[in-house]
Amino acid sequence: MLKIEELRVLVIMEVTIQLPHCTDEGCLIIDDHCVRTIHAEVNALLECSPDERNGATIYVTDRPCAECSKLIISSGIKKVVYGRDYHFDFDWFSLAPWVEIIHLTAER
């Protein structure tokens, strides 16, 4: 579910969208992931306008993967808040200092 407020906050739940083909034909697993799914971050970005994304904060369960990171950086989102670490191939956020990354930990 996507929620956009006046403060330009995107809140997404841990949801991936499976294309109908997955249901009909089964998952296509590559490197332990179904490549017929759309990550929740992508779905959230598709569900709002560029004006709603610009300057927004996105809250996600896991640190975005490399592909989602690139999309978030280019979308205008300025802050990413996540709860769990996720292995990523490359840290694209390290090349985008204008995007603030916050890892929520149990110590907070």
Side-chain angles (χ1 to χ4, degrees):
M1 168 144 241
L2 173 69
K3 182 178 181 185
I4 302 171
E5 299 177 0
E6 282 297 314
L7 297 175
R8 295 188 187 274
V9 174
L10 303 180
V11 179
I12 63 174
M13 297 176 67
E14 191 173 349
V15 175
T16 55
I17 305 302
Q18 290 187 330
L19 303 176
H21 193 69
C22 285
T23 305
D24 299 335
E25 301 293 328
C27 294
L28 175 60
I29 304 295
I30 297 177
D31 294 329
D32 295 323
H33 295 284
C34 179
V35 296
R36 291 185 178 136
T37 60
I38 299 171
H39 288 190
E41 295 92 333
V42 175
N43 190 48
L45 295 174
L46 291 170
E47 290 293 326
C48 59
S49 72
D51 287 339
E52 291 170 319
R53 292 190 302 260
N54 192 33
T57 298
I58 188 168
Y59 292 86
V60 294
T61 302
D62 297 319
R63 181 182 174 103
C65 70
E67 292 301 312
C68 287
S69 297
K70 291 188 289 184
L71 292 170
I72 289 168
I73 290 165
S74 65
S75 74
I77 288 175
K78 296 298 182 204
K79 187 186 295 185
V80 178
V81 181
Y82 69 96
R84 295 185 303 210
D85 271 325
Y86 177 81
H87 169 74
F88 48 88
D89 300 326
F90 185 80
D91 184 8
W92 289 100
F93 291 121
S94 68
L95 301 177
W98 59 89
V99 180
E100 182 181 2
I101 307 301
I102 299 174
H103 179 197
L104 298 178
T105 60
E107 295 87 43
R108 288 189 177 206

